[in-house]
C-alpha cells in the first residue's frame, strides 16, 4: 500500500515532468493556451525595479526648438528636456494561488482508473492551474491599461479587487482641460439606449478632435458603446448626409445611415471626425465571496469604461513598470512568464498533503504623455 510519500501526491512529477526547470518547461510549452495581453501603448519597461517606488515623468511631443543665433564669442542657450515629475507612489502587487489537496488527487486517481492515463490527467490539471493563474495577471494588466486610458486613472475598489486592498488610486495625470463631460440632456444616452434630447455625438467628437495637437491620434471606445453610438439618430443623420451631401431631409438622411452595415457606418464616422476608431472588446472577471450564500460569485465587468471615448496618440504613450520578484529555493520550484515579471512558485506541504502554486506580479501602467491624452465622458 502507498504510504503517502511526496511522490504519490506530487502533481508535477505525476505530469511526467523532470529536471531542475520542470515547471518552467511546462509553462513555456503551454504558452499558446494563455490569454493575450493588451497593454498597447504601454510596453514593459526593459528594466525591472528592485523597489516598489515609481515616478511618473511627463514627456513632450512635437518639434525640437531651433538653435539660438549668437555672436561669435557668446554661449548658446541650454537644451530643454521638456520633462518633469507628475507624481510618485508605490507599484501595487497582484497575487493569486491554486491549492491541490489530497482529496483532489484521489479524485484524479479514480478518474485515471477509467481513462487509463494518470499522466494525462495530471498534465490537464497542471495546465488548467497555470492558465488560470497566468490569465488572472494578464487580465489584471489589460484591465489596468484600459482603465488608465478610459477613466484617466486606475482605482482599486471592493468591486474590482474583492478580497484585496481598496482605496488606492493611480492617476494618469490628464489635465482637466483635456476632458469633456456631457451632462443633463446633452448626454448621449440617459438610460439604456434612450438618447439625450440635445445630444450630438458627432459634434462632441469633433470638439474633442480639435484639441489634439503635436502628433497623430486615434479614438478608443468600448465595442458595445461604439455599437450604440453607430445607432444614435444624430450619428445616422450625419452619416447619411456624408453619403448624399446634396440632401436636406434629416429623416431621409437617418434612414440612409440606418441601412448601412456597422462596418460601413464606422468608416463613415472615422472620415467625418478625422481619426481612426479602435473598438476595445474586453471583459474582466471579479470573484467575490457571498457570505450569505456561502459561495463564490463571478461578476464580469467591461475593462474599458463604457461611458467614455478616449483620444490618444498613436504609438507608445507610456510604459508598464514592474518590480522584479524574488526567488528563494531551488529552480524546480519556480517558473516565470512575461520576461520574469510574473513568478509562479510551487510548494508542497507534507503535513497537509497539499500542493500550492502561487503567482505574483507587481506592475503599474504609467502614462508619460498625459498632456496629449483626451477624454470625453458621454453619460
Amino acid at each position: 500500500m502507498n504510504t503517502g510519500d511526496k511522490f504519490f501526491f506530487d502533481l508535477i512529477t505525476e505530469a511526467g515532468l523532470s529536471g531542475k526547470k520542470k515547471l518552467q518547461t511546462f509553462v513555456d510549452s503551454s504558452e499558446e493556451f494563455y490569454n493575450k495581453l493588451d497593454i498597447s501603448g504601454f510596453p514593459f519597461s526593459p528594466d525591472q525595479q528592485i523597489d516598489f517606488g515609481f515616478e511618473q515623468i511627463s514627456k513632450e511631443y512635437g518639434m525640437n526648438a531651433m538653435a539660438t543665433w549668437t555672436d561669435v564669442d557668446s554661449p548658446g542657450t541650454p537644451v530643454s528636456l521638456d520633462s518633469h515629475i507628475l507624481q510618485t507612489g508605490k507599484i501595487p502587487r497582484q497575487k493569486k494561488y491554486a491549492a491541490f489537496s489530497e482529496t483532489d488527487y484521489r479524485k484524479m486517481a479514480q478518474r485515471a482508473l477509467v481513462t487509463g492515463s494518470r499522466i494525462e490527467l495530471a498534465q490537464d490539471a497542471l495546465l488548467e492551474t497555470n492558465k488560470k493563474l497566468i490569465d488572472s495577471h494578464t487580465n489584471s494588466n489589460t484591465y489596468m491599461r484600459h482603465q488608465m486610458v478610459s477613466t484617466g486613472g486606475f482605482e482599486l475598489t471592493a468591486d474590482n479587487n474583492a478580497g484585496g486592498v481598496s482605496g488606492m488610486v493611480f492617476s494618469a495625470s490628464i489635465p482637466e482641460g483635456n476632458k469633456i463631460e456631457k451632462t443633463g440632456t446633452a448626454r448621449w444616452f440617459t438610460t439604456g439606449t434612450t438618447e439625450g434630447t440635445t445630444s450630438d455625438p458627432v459634434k462632441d467628437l469633433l470638439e474633442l478632435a480639435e484639441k489634439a495637437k503635436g502628433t497623430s491620434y486615434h479614438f478608443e471606445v468600448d465595442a458595445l458603446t461604439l455599437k450604440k453610438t453607430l445607432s444614435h439618430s444624430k450619428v445616422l443623420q450625419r452619416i447619411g448626409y456624408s453619403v448624399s451631401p446634396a440632401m436636406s431631409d434629416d429623416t431621409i438622411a437617418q434612414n440612409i445611415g440606418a441601412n448601412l452595415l456597422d462596418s460601413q457606418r464606422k468608416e463613415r464616422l472615422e472620415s467625418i471626425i478625422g481619426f481612426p476608431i479602435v473598438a476595445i472588446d474586453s471583459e474582466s472577471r471579479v470573484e467575490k465571496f457571498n457570505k450569505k450564500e456561502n459561495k463564490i460569485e463571478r461578476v464580469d465587468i467591461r475593462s474599458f469604461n463604457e461611458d467614455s471615448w478616449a483620444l490618444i496618440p498613436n504609438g507608445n504613450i507610456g510604459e508598464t513598470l514592474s518590480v522584479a520578484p524574488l526567488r528563494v529555493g531551488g529552480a524546480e520550484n519556480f517558473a516565470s512568464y512575461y520576461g520574469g515579471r510574473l513568478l509562479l512558485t510551487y510548494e508542497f506541504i507534507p503535513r497537509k498533503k497539499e500542493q500550492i502554486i502561487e503567482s505574483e506580479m507587481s506592475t503599474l501602467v504609467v502614462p508619460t504623455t498625459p498632456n496629449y491624452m483626451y477624454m470625453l465622458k458621454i453619460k
Side-chain angles (χ1 to χ4, degrees):
M1 179 177 176
N2 197 303
T3 56
D5 60 11
K6 181 179 177 182
F7 177 79
F8 181 75
F9 295 102
D10 189 343
L11 179 62
I12 294 179
T13 302
E14 283 290 336
L17 306 179
S18 61
K20 289 186 177 181
K21 295 185 177 181
K22 51 191 177 183
L23 183 57
Q24 184 68 63
T25 300
F26 188 82
V27 167
D28 292 342
S29 67
S30 308
E31 186 173 3
E32 64 182 291
F33 298 102
Y34 308 144
N35 284 0
K36 301 303 179 185
L37 177 68
D38 183 3
I39 52 172
S40 51
F42 301 87
F44 284 121
S45 173
D47 299 320
Q48 298 182 50
Q49 303 179 192
I50 296 300
D51 69 327
F52 288 81
F54 79 91
E55 294 180 342
Q56 184 186 16
I57 307 294
S58 172
K59 297 180 181 179
E60 295 292 327
Y61 285 112
M63 295 183 292
N64 292 320
M66 294 189 297
T68 306
W69 282 270
T70 70
D71 58 49
V72 174
D73 297 320
S74 296
T77 55
V79 169
S80 172
L81 297 179
D82 287 330
S83 64
H84 61 280
I85 298 175
L86 296 175
Q87 64 172 321
T88 60
K90 297 293 185 181
I91 297 173
R93 168 169 284 177
Q94 313 160 13
K95 280 189 173 184
K96 204 78 173 174
Y97 77 90
F100 192 79
S101 67
E102 177 183 357
T103 300
D104 296 323
Y105 183 91
R106 292 186 180 279
K107 289 179 179 179
M108 185 184 75
Q110 288 177 338
R111 292 198 301 272
L113 295 175
V114 178
T115 64
S117 177
R118 198 156 67 186
I119 291 180
E120 184 176 332
L121 288 172
Q123 290 177 344
D124 289 345
L126 190 58
L127 173 60
E128 181 182 12
T129 297
N130 289 341
K131 175 174 169 56
K132 284 185 175 182
L133 292 174
I134 292 174
D135 284 357
S136 71
H137 295 282
T138 298
N139 297 344
S140 291
N141 282 280
T142 296
Y143 176 80
M144 179 164 43
R145 184 266 178 207
H146 292 327
Q147 285 289 293
M148 198 67 78
V149 170
S150 64
T151 70
F154 170 62
E155 181 178 3
L156 294 175
T157 68
D159 290 328
N160 64 20
N161 195 41
V165 297
S166 61
M168 297 181 67
V169 180
F170 303 91
S171 173
S173 300
I174 298 174
E176 288 303 313
N178 290 18
K179 302 175 184 178
I180 297 176
E181 182 175 358
K182 311 311 294 185
T183 59
T185 58
R187 291 175 295 166
W188 294 9
F189 305 99
T190 52
T191 55
T193 57
T194 302
E195 300 174 6
T197 54
T198 62
S199 63
D200 191 339
V202 176
K203 177 178 176 292
D204 296 335
L205 291 173
L206 286 171
E207 181 183 350
L208 194 67
E210 288 178 359
K211 293 176 174 289
K213 57 188 178 182
T215 186
S216 57
Y217 287 80
H218 67 273
F219 279 101
E220 290 191 7
V221 61
D222 177 77
L224 299 181
T225 301
L226 176 60
K227 189 173 183 65
K228 286 173 60 177
T229 301
L230 292 175
S231 295
H232 192 288
S233 61
K234 289 291 183 64
V235 174
L236 293 176
Q237 286 177 18
R238 291 295 293 269
I239 291 173
Y241 282 124
S242 73
V243 175
S244 301
M247 191 169 37
S248 59
D249 187 291
D250 288 349
T251 301
I252 296 177
Q254 183 174 336
N255 289 335
I256 291 175
N259 285 324
L260 296 178
L261 299 174
D262 278 357
S263 58
Q264 295 172 315
R265 296 180 201 172
K266 178 175 177 288
E267 289 178 5
R268 287 282 174 176
L269 181 58
E270 288 174 327
S271 178
I272 294 169
I273 62 179
F275 292 110
I277 300 171
V278 177
I280 306 297
D281 192 6
S282 174
E283 278 191 335
S284 299
R285 174 165 291 178
V286 179
E287 292 183 340
K288 301 179 180 181
F289 182 71
N290 186 323
K291 293 182 179 180
K292 186 176 181 179
E293 300 291 334
N294 194 32
K295 65 178 183 179
I296 298 292
E297 293 181 341
R298 294 168 177 83
V299 180
D300 293 342
I301 55 178
R302 303 296 290 180
S303 300
F304 199 96
N305 182 18
E306 292 182 83
D307 297 339
S308 296
W309 281 65
L311 181 62
I312 61 175
N314 297 332
N316 294 335
I317 57 175
E319 58 186 354
T320 300
L321 303 179
S322 58
V323 179
L326 299 180
R327 305 182 182 204
V328 179
E332 67 276 8
N333 296 323
F334 300 98
S336 63
Y337 203 64
Y338 292 129
R341 296 171 177 83
L342 190 161
L343 182 66
L344 296 174
T345 302
Y346 169 78
E347 181 183 9
F348 181 81
I349 306 175
R351 181 177 61 83
K352 295 183 177 180
K353 299 184 178 65
E354 183 179 53
Q355 296 157 84
I356 293 176
I357 299 180
E358 183 175 64
S359 61
E360 67 174 78
M361 190 175 188
S362 303
T363 54
L364 182 64
V365 170
V366 181
T368 54
T369 58
N371 290 341
Y372 296 85
M373 298 171 66
Y374 302 89
M375 288 175 47
L376 171 63
K377 190 171 182 181
I378 64 174
K379 67 176 183 177

